[in-house]
Amino acid sequence: MAETLTATALTLKDIAREAGVSLATVDRVLHNRPGVRPDTVRRVKAAIERNSFQPHVAAAELARGRARRFAFVMPSGPNPFMQQIEAYLGEMSAWLAARRLGVEMVTTDVFDPSALAASLEALSGDYDGVAVVALDHPGVRAAINDLVDAGTKVVTLVSDVPSSRRHHYVGIDNIAAGRTAGALVGRLVGQRSGKVAIVAGSQGLRDHAERIFGFNQVMATEFPGLSVLPVLEGRDEDDRSEQLLGRLFGSHADIVGLYNVGAGTQGVAKALNDKALNDKALNDKALSEVGRDKQVVFVGHDVTALTRRLLLQGVMDAAISQNPGHEARAAVRVLLALARGEPILSEQEKIRIDIVMRDNLP
Amino acid sequence: MAETLTATALTLKDIAREAGVSLATVDRVLHNRPGVRPDTVRRVKAAIERNSFQPHVAAAELARGRARRFAFVMPSGPNPFMQQIEAYLGEMSAWLAARRLGVEMVTTDVFDPSALAASLEALSGDYDGVAVVALDHPGVRAAINDLVDAGTKVVTLVSDVPSSRRHHYVGIDNIAAGRTAGALVGRLVGQRSGKVAIVAGSQGLRDHAERIFGFNQVMATEFPGLSVLPVLEGRDEDDRSEQLLGRLFGSHADIVGLYNVGAGTQGVAKALNDKALNDKALNDKALSEVGRDKQVVFVGHDVTALTRRLLLQGVMDAAISQNPGHEARAAVRVLLALARGEPILSEQEKIRIDIVMRDNLP
DNA sequence: GGTGTTTTGAGGTACGCAACTCATTTTGAG
DNA sequence: CTCAAAATGAGTTGCGTACCTCAAAACACC
């Protein structure tokens, strides 16, 4: 009827007695300090294993005295997603303070890898951990590796540098996100056939490129009735996205689906709206006859104030979302666990790809 | 360029000096102990506010010494979702041990409110916190209130008792979940019209009833082309669900959508499969002609080994999921925060309604 | 002014561990 | 066997809080 999940409450002293050594030796083993014979190390570790001993985090944290400092290196500029991450970090301030964790924000130009690398190098030595929204570039990779070598824990956030030796990546699998977007567009279009448009910031951005790759993959294999038009590069700007898309709508009458890979959502929505007005003017059918199914299926990314409104209005059909609050908290938790030498609850820290439609808006 | 988020590292001693009182008095104020003049209380609280002082959790945890004990009261029987929750709690064991948290599982019959109430009453006094998968029943409500009155922190898990004085509910909004299911079925069916079947465990279960309510709401207002058939009550059993559904398929040829509200997924899938074979035998069309769009759109709940397989095979189109790992961890974190008197990160502990399709399977 | 009560101060102990020192023992090389 | 180096033991201190005791001070009331 009742079953216990947790171990006993042993202390280091008990382990020392068990292993037949002194407290000092256990301490040396626990912290990989030199001066212990391999054989003794084994004995101590065995005693720890045998009792599945876990140092009391509170005691450890208290004893080490020094507060921990983390830095978040984020892109400058008005990116709403990044602003959300910062906001959620702000909400954690009481939580952080109670644990004597110092978190500092460092901003740097997104599109300048060498500036990012320099910012990272500048952090060396001052921080226990660094979370960085990274660019995949040799200089950045080197800077990350340098930090790791200096003993700083490093996690990449949102955008990964898999070739670096960063300890962890907190973010989604962008190829899977693109596949999900593709499946949604395809399924929501239904039996109709026609063309599908893609608007991205730039194909040079790793995350955008990966999403497009996943999207095309699904379209090619599963929705032969739909053909994907060449990618429009809107540079995440509203005006540019609107113009490019407007022109595309002009030259292709049979566009039934639209995937917006990055930002610039405002512009995309405007172009869509213009097209709808245009279509209505062209033929005399009543609105009810045009109906939902005549509309362009529109799938994008991230839940912001704008996409929330578009979802509620029915302009947007689904948003692929990575929960920024979860990402912020996961980054802090992972850094803390790494710094403490605790295991990471990988299931907990994994960022899911959320499909958000009108009725499950968070 | 760099901005700090966290406060200074004051201690109780500093607050005492600031307020012009002794450590003992600060301690009395902090823990609402009697014997302090209202005026002095005000002075101390002002000093705490002014410095936005947060007691060091590690020190507090260490000082109080006593380990905390939590109980999880869960339904007995082979419910895969509940088993997943238990499994995730098991994965946390190192995390729990490092914090000297004891978590115990208590199982009780799901469908017997008085047994549940008795189990809850039996816990009184022994635990700092209780998480319970509750039934909404007067006896259970009373038992929960008794626990709360005795100083035990109580959170309801998965299924709420809103009328009780439980401190927190960890679970999803089931009406919104039903609405989401409805929107998915409607949108994935596309332009076709026809009938939609619902299989539930029992309409007496609060969560099932709420989901059905939400589902019908969306169907009625947004998909006039689809008509919902009367709910089949499969009691979450495979065989019964299969039979009921098979009979329904026999009497209605134009079923285009199916919503499985609870468990019994295996049976539902079997009935669907039989129908597919049947349809193929009846007409001579090639499979390619029948195509995806002739299939019944199938939306259900929860990602289990079975639903995962069905999603990958394309039998199931989407699963509405509440992340069991998140629920388990959120319940523990909320209980811990309540026990410590810390604020709860409500955004973090909110359980989202996940839409899971093949490409964003976790 | 004296009495009893309430409020406050001062101080101690304990929690489990990190980090350190210094003395002592063990080990291995010559 | 000798001696230096390596390994280990024993012990101390401090982290910031909770919780406790006891005495002193302030207060209220008659």
Side-chain angles (χ1 to χ4, degrees), chain A residues 154-213:
Chain A
V154 178
V155 309
T156 47
L157 189 61
V158 181
S159 168
D160 193 17
V161 186
S163 58
S164 72
R165 294 204 307 282
R166 87 280 186 283
H167 298 88
H168 204 88
Y169 166 56
V170 174
I172 60 171
D173 174 346
N174 279 303
I175 294 181
R179 292 180 55 88
T180 304
L184 277 169
V185 168
R187 295 299 308 270
L188 293 178
V189 162
Q191 295 122 315
R192 292 178 289 163
S193 60
K195 300 208 172 60
V196 176
I198 301 182
V199 182
S202 154
Q203 299 197 67
L205 292 171
R206 185 190 181 91
D207 47 352
H208 286 202
E210 288 181 346
R211 290 175 183 176
I212 293 169
F213 177 80

Side-chain angles (χ1 to χ4, degrees), chain B residues 7-8 11 31 35 55 60 65 77 105 153 176 187 228 231 243-244 296 303 306 312 326 331 335 343 362:
Chain B
T8 49
T11 72
H31 299 92
M105 305 292 314
K153 307 301 179 186
R187 295 299 308 269
V228 179
V231 174
Q243 285 163 20
L244 288 172
V296 175
V303 177
L306 174 62
L312 287 173
H326 190 184
L335 283 177

Side-chain angles (χ1 to χ4, degrees), chain B residues 183-200:
Chain B
L184 276 170
V185 168
R187 295 299 308 269
L188 292 179
V189 162
Q191 294 122 313
R192 291 177 291 161
S193 61
K195 300 209 172 61
V196 175
I198 301 182
V199 182

Side-chain angles (χ1 to χ4, degrees), chain A residues 4 11 40 156 239 347:
Chain A
T4 302
T11 72
T40 314
T156 47
D239 292 345
E347 163 71 21

Side-chain angles (χ1 to χ4, degrees), chain B residues 6-7 50:
Chain B
T6 39
R50 201 169 337 119

Side-chain angles (χ1 to χ4, degrees), chain B residues 148-226:
Chain B
V148 172
D149 290 335
T152 306
K153 307 301 179 186
V154 178
V155 310
T156 47
L157 190 59
V158 181
S159 167
D160 194 16
V161 186
S163 58
S164 72
R165 296 204 306 282
R166 86 281 186 282
H167 298 87
H168 204 89
Y169 165 56
V170 174
I172 60 171
D173 174 347
N174 280 303
I175 295 181
R179 293 180 54 88
T180 305
L184 276 170
V185 168
R187 295 299 308 269
L188 292 179
V189 162
Q191 294 122 313
R192 291 177 291 161
S193 61
K195 300 209 172 61
V196 175
I198 301 182
V199 182
S202 154
Q203 298 198 67
L205 293 171
R206 184 189 183 92
D207 47 352
H208 286 202
E210 288 182 345
R211 289 173 185 178
I212 293 168
F213 177 81
F215 187 86
N216 283 327
Q217 207 178 26
V218 167
M219 288 314 243
T221 58
E222 293 184 41
F223 301 101
L226 300 175

